[in-house]
Amino acid sequence: MRITAEPLDLFLRTTFTIAHGASDVRHNVLVRIDDGIGEAPIVPYYHESPQGVMDYCAQIAPLLGDDPFQIEDILARLPRAGASAAGYAAIDVALHDLIGKRLGVPLYKLFGLNPARVPETSFTISIDQPEVMAARARDSGLPILKIKIGAGNDVAMVKAIRNATNARLRLDANAGWTREQAASIIPQLAECDIEFIEQPLARQDWEGLRWLKQRVIVPIFADESAQTERDLPKLAGAIDGVVVKLMKTGGLRGAIKTMAVARALDLQVMLSCMVESSVGVTAAAHIAPLADYVDLDGPLLIANDPFVGLHYDGAKIILPDAPGLGLQSK
Ligand code: MG
């Protein structure tokens, strides 16, 4: 099999500001293996680069072999520790797309999943002035919103949005608080009828999550603290749920494994995405029937998606029926 990788620059519709920083453009990479395609989202705070992903693809080219149906063996041959997690995930997705195309079935069928069971997605409101965030929330008209906070002025932002909409609200602090800030701010936010809060504390502060859970009643989900299934045992009992993303778990196979481990540890699952195009987000959507919650709004946030894959009917996600990922070029 032949692998190629090329840059994919995605322009955001509005400046995307979260507790880690702001961006107007993201520099992702498209990975192709024969007819299969996958996407490596480059996330500034995970210290990857487009060149790093392209180098990784060139490095592993001799390891792919000729039979995509040997996907378990292929993935086991690829270097993982210290290597590009985003590149590995893109290769996993491209191989699945290729397999689905060879078999003539969409990926959700390959996994035996019911497309009607995809939970409704949230839509992300990134950090801005409270009145701007409230206007975006109201104008979206969408029933589930994920509000980025954790960079100061959090209570004013969430209250402004709550006053502007009856939507279900989820919050994401992106590791922006100390333990003491979280313990003081979360009870004030709870008045706004919050479904759950993602990643209140620093990535490595697993003990802090346990400390916090004894002090607040709003459910806590781990994102940055939960990279792969190996992080979950130490989080069991300290959180209520885990945020699964293909880029963290190494693609579809790792995501399914991570969701199974989460279930075994009584953790709820939200399937989410980075800022990525319809390639990466459609891949995630094919396994979304396995999740309790879904945060797959990447294509809604970008202005130049080069593909059509999943469709949105408000917050409802409709999976494509074509083989593999089911993508079409625009
Ligand atoms: Mg998050």
Side-chain angles (χ1 to χ4, degrees):
M1 292 181 283
R2 179 168 179 267
I3 184 169
T4 59
E6 65 191 79
L8 171 65
D9 289 347
L10 297 177
F11 297 95
L12 285 138
R13 289 182 185 278
T14 56
T15 300
F16 192 73
T17 305
I18 65 174
H20 295 297
S23 32
D24 289 297
V25 58
R26 289 291 180 92
H27 305 284
N28 292 358
V29 176
L30 280 183
V31 175
R32 286 187 167 85
I33 300 175
D34 291 352
D35 292 335
I37 190 164
E39 180 173 4
I42 305 301
V43 183
Y45 50 92
Y46 284 133
H47 311 296
E48 292 217 40
S49 68
Q51 192 58 51
V53 171
M54 291 188 281
D55 290 347
Y56 181 73
C57 291
Q59 179 202 339
I60 63 88
L63 304 175
L64 285 176
D66 291 323
D67 183 2
F69 293 97
Q70 298 287 325
I71 186 167
E72 284 284 345
D73 280 3
I74 297 167
L75 292 172
R77 285 198 291 269
L78 304 186
R80 191 104 193 252
S84 170
Y88 185 98
I91 290 166
D92 165 285
V93 169
L95 287 169
H96 281 95
D97 186 31
L98 182 56
I99 288 171
K101 282 175 171 156
R102 293 257 183 109
L103 295 174
V105 292
L107 286 187
Y108 72 83
K109 281 193 183 169
L110 198 63
F111 291 120
L113 299 172
N114 178 355
R117 287 197 192 280
V118 178
E120 288 191 323
T121 183
S122 55
F123 175 74
T124 304
I125 309 281
S126 71
I127 292 173
D128 209 312
Q129 296 302 317
E131 59 276 14
V132 175
M133 296 170 77
R136 269 191 213 136
R138 189 177 47 239
D139 295 347
S140 79
L142 292 169
I144 313 171
L145 300 173
K146 168 163 152 172
I147 305 164
K148 294 290 194 179
I149 53 172
N153 213 16
D154 304 308
V155 178
M157 290 173 183
V158 178
K159 283 194 170 160
I161 291 172
R162 177 40 85 215
N163 287 333
T165 173
N166 291 322
R168 288 156 63 188
L169 299 185
R170 302 166 185 169
L171 309 181
D172 188 356
N174 282 112
W177 293 328
T178 63
R179 293 184 187 189
E180 290 69 26
Q181 283 173 321
S184 136
I185 295 170
I186 291 172
Q188 301 175 59
L189 299 174
E191 296 167 16
C192 295
D193 192 13
I194 302 305
E195 240 179 347
F196 52 80
I197 301 185
E198 259 181 66
Q199 197 65 39
L201 304 178
R203 178 176 167 178
Q204 310 274 6
D205 194 7
W206 296 287
E207 274 314 306
L209 291 171
R210 200 175 297 278
W211 177 91
L212 187 62
K213 187 169 168 56
Q214 289 157 6
R215 286 163 177 81
V216 299
I217 53 168
V218 179
I220 305 286
F221 278 45
D223 183 357
E224 285 88 335
S225 294
Q227 292 291 309
T228 72
E229 75 277 8
R230 292 183 182 198
D231 292 321
L232 301 192
K234 61 178 172 272
L235 288 165
I239 53 169
D240 298 280
V242 60
V243 181
V244 174
K245 297 175 181 170
L246 303 192
M247 184 260 156
K248 297 191 297 179
T249 60
L252 292 158
R253 291 184 112 65
I256 292 170
K257 204 186 292 177
T258 303
M259 289 194 267
V261 173
R263 300 286 177 216
L265 296 169
D266 272 333
L267 296 170
Q268 293 193 288
V269 170
M270 179 159 81
L271 187 62
S272 183
C273 60
M274 302 297 185
V275 174
E276 48 194 313
S277 77
S278 284
V279 177
V281 178
T282 302
H286 276 285
I287 58 167
L290 295 169
D292 303 299
Y293 304 97
V294 156
D295 170 39
L296 293 176
D297 63 346
L300 301 175
L301 303 176
I302 57 175
N304 62 326
D305 194 336
F307 291 91
V308 179
L310 78 173
H311 287 276
Y312 298 93
D313 177 6
K316 190 174 159 49
I317 286 176
I318 297 141
L319 293 175
D321 254 333
L325 291 172
L327 298 170
Q328 289 181 316
S329 293
K330 269 190 182 164

